[in-house]
Amino acid sequence: MTLTSQDRTIIEATQAGLPLVTRPYAVVAESLGLSEADLIERLKHLKAQGIIRRIGAAPNHYRLGMTANGMTVWDVDDAVVDSLGEKVGGLPFVTHCYRRPRALPDWPYNLFAMVHGETRDEVVAKRSEISSLLGKACRASDILFSTRILKKTGMRLRGKEG
Amino acid sequence: MTRYLSPLERTLINRLQDDLPLVSHPFQELAQELDLSEEEVAGHIRTLRDDGLLTRFGPFFDAEALGGAFCLCAMAVTPERFEDVLTKVNAYPEVAHNYERDHKLNMWFVLATESQAAISATAEAIERDTGLPVLLFPKEREFFIGFRVNA
């Protein structure tokens, strides 16, 4: 995937967020010396390439009272892990769901689903819902609660040509 | 710290996790749906952002499509060595997030690098530095729909 220098400029100008006005692209376009239509056209192109996943907002789980977070992990039959993973990812309380390699013998789990809740009990109850959904295809599972954030840095594209 | 969310705010938080149209007036559709003006919709979202309930509004970029590489990693660290290992691991700028979790594998971090080769190189450097194995859990497939608050 090759980004033009104009793409990089657009990414840098929008990755911290858009102004919350009725025509946000017009405001950003003006600051970049582009027309609103050209900026939207370029963003559509980035979206078609999969570089932009969506336009929207991300919730702050902690501020929404979702202070318990559990990484639920599952050892699911390889033959059905992808179809079941889609279902787990579709549960409203699952924020992230990934298939990852096992690390045998210590780590038999190949499906990871992050569950947020207001309390640990709530997260544990949600784990049971996932368990029912997976049924017999799941051989073992565990839940890892986060006890401390040790480091958190934002991801930012560096200001250079690619 | 949490605050009361109005039904409208709950609806907005949920709808903003869908994809808004890439058009000159991105809030027009939402405004019609909610029987509000576009200004009002933008204003409510601004309040949610300013109150820290939404982290930001805008395009979400696929970090891997931008050319980076990412990998979830885990280590089993004994309590006696925890602070020492933590200092060494966090010193790497490639370590983007690091969480302590209640498991034998108790240190979980994400490596963010410019290339796939740099992931293995960084993991190996951390192993040498700490004398502990680093298990790599790269994403093989993502299943994602999104999180919803009770509306």
Side-chain angles (χ1 to χ4, degrees):
Chain A
M1 201 90 58
T2 330
L3 295 175
T4 65
S5 63
Q6 189 188 50
D7 290 338
R8 291 212 159 239
T9 307
I10 290 172
I11 293 167
E12 282 163 27
T14 56
Q15 65 186 351
L18 295 171
L20 282 159
V21 295
T22 56
R23 288 175 61 193
Y25 302 111
V27 174
V28 175
E30 194 181 353
S31 75
L32 297 177
L34 295 170
S35 74
E36 182 190 26
D38 284 346
L39 175 62
I40 289 174
E41 196 49 49
R42 208 53 220 165
L43 288 168
K44 279 185 175 167
H45 182 70
L46 291 172
K47 184 125 185 277
Q49 286 186 298
I51 289 171
I52 292 176
R53 301 167 67 130
R54 66 185 183 94
I55 309 287
N60 179 337
H61 296 105
Y62 286 92
R63 289 304 303 273
L64 289 168
M66 304 275 130
T67 51
N69 95 72
M71 185 171 77
T72 68
V73 292
W74 311 84
D75 175 12
V76 181
D77 186 343
D78 289 323
V80 290
V81 64
D82 284 347
S83 57
L84 287 171
E86 291 287 352
K87 289 185 183 165
V88 174
L91 294 170
F93 50 83
V94 170
T95 51
H96 305 280
C97 186
Y98 301 106
R99 171 162 63 81
R100 302 183 186 277
R102 297 179 178 87
L104 297 170
D106 300 330
W107 189 264
Y109 311 111
N110 59 340
L111 187 69
F112 290 54
M114 196 63 76
V115 175
H116 287 262
E118 292 184 14
T119 62
R120 282 196 178 200
D121 286 348
E122 189 186 329
V123 173
V124 168
K126 287 169 173 172
R127 176 193 177 185
S128 306
E129 283 186 51
I130 299 176
S131 183
S132 313
L133 195 155
L134 293 174
K136 284 181 185 157
C138 172
R139 291 172 288 240
S141 75
D142 203 348
I143 183 165
L144 285 74
F145 283 102
S146 73
T147 45
R148 201 158 41 124
I149 298 174
L150 303 170
K151 184 176 186 180
K152 191 158 191 163
T153 49
M155 228 287 295
R156 288 283 182 273
L157 183 69
R158 294 192 182 133
K160 60 163 195 177
E161 304 267 323
Chain B
M1 200 172 68
T2 57
R3 73 156 166 86
Y4 167 78
L5 289 174
S6 70
L8 172 64
E9 287 179 319
R10 287 173 183 272
T11 302
L12 280 173
I13 289 170
N14 287 340
R15 286 288 278 109
L16 287 168
Q17 287 178 82
D18 302 330
D19 192 14
L20 292 193
L22 247 171
V23 294
S24 173
H25 291 260
F27 304 118
Q28 193 171 42
E29 211 178 276
L30 264 179
Q32 278 168 5
E33 187 184 313
L34 300 169
D35 204 16
L36 296 170
S37 70
E38 289 173 59
E39 287 82 1
E40 285 170 323
V41 170
H44 282 296
I45 300 171
R46 201 182 311 124
T47 303
L48 286 168
R49 184 200 58 194
D50 292 347
D51 289 354
L53 297 159
L54 294 173
T55 53
R56 68 185 185 89
F57 169 79
F60 281 76
F61 295 97
D62 181 319
E64 283 173 4
L66 289 175
F70 297 85
C71 188
L72 178 68
C73 304
M75 295 172 83
V77 188
T78 57
E80 310 81 69
R81 289 208 56 204
F82 198 86
E83 289 307 314
D84 168 49
V85 171
L86 174 61
T87 306
K88 285 178 170 157
V89 170
N90 277 1
Y92 285 82
E94 294 88 349
V95 174
H97 309 281
N98 193 353
Y99 285 86
E100 182 183 41
R101 294 190 179 276
D102 58 350
H103 190 270
K104 182 169 173 270
L105 289 170
N106 52 351
M107 193 181 283
W108 289 80
F109 53 90
V110 173
L111 290 180
T113 62
E114 303 257 318
S115 69
Q116 200 53 52
I119 294 282
S120 341
T122 309
E124 283 162 22
I126 292 174
E127 289 189 330
R128 279 196 304 275
D129 243 15
T130 60
L132 296 173
V134 174
L135 300 184
L136 300 183
F137 296 106
K139 170 171 89 183
E140 289 178 335
R141 186 156 168 194
E142 179 171 7
F143 312 103
F144 179 72
I145 303 296
F147 169 82
R148 292 287 183 269
V149 292
N150 296 323

